[in-house]
Amino acid sequence: MSEKLPGIVLVDDLRSFVDGRVAHVARTSSAGIAALESYRGRRLDELWLDHDLGEDDTIWPVVEVLERAAFERRPFDVGVVYVHSANPAGAEKVMQALRRWGYHVRSAVGSPHVGYLAGAE
């Protein structure tokens, strides 16, 4: 019997959900890819993406996994992809790329749902 996964993945190097909702939190692009892959064949209700993930890391490796899956006609089953980055140009490029492949994408720039928490993971 497989472990029950939360229906939300947050990929952000610093922020968390301020309301304490249960989510799989990934702090790097490689951890984001691993989290996303754990949902292969399962419904992911929400995927929250930050663009800049610290140092030289960005969300683009995660976006490429989503794009490749759609190109291979095996897109991930994601209800909504929220892009909440503080990098407006980067956020817009991510949204355009994912919409092109049929993912339902919404801008969540400035969202009150994600923020910096003291002692966050």
Side-chain angles (χ1 to χ4, degrees):
M1 186 159 148
S2 66
E3 164 187 349
K4 172 94 169 101
L5 297 170
I8 303 171
V9 169
L10 171 71
V11 185
D12 191 307
D13 59 324
L14 298 172
R15 291 171 284 194
S16 296
F17 287 110
V18 297
D19 58 8
R21 72 180 77 177
V22 176
H24 186 140
V25 178
R27 298 296 184 194
T28 65
S29 61
S30 59
I33 290 168
L36 187 59
E37 290 292 349
S38 72
Y39 283 90
R40 175 53 78 191
R42 300 179 186 175
R43 172 71 170 191
L44 177 57
D45 299 318
E46 298 176 10
L47 176 59
W48 290 72
L49 304 177
D50 182 21
H51 184 276
D52 302 306
L53 299 175
E55 300 293 319
D56 293 330
D57 197 13
T58 69
I59 201 62
W60 284 105
V62 176
V63 172
E64 289 168 2
V65 167
L66 289 160
E67 288 177 309
R68 188 174 328 112
F71 174 78
E72 295 171 351
R73 294 193 166 101
R74 302 175 338 120
F76 284 88
D77 183 9
V78 181
V80 181
V81 179
Y82 292 98
V83 181
H84 64 276
S85 179
N87 175 336
E92 186 58 37
K93 288 178 185 173
V94 168
M95 289 187 295
Q96 287 175 355
L98 294 177
R99 284 182 181 136
R100 176 177 179 239
W101 291 104
Y103 291 101
H104 182 70
V105 182
R106 289 189 185 157
S107 173
V109 173
S111 172
H113 299 295
V114 290
Y116 302 98
L117 301 178
E121 305 156 36

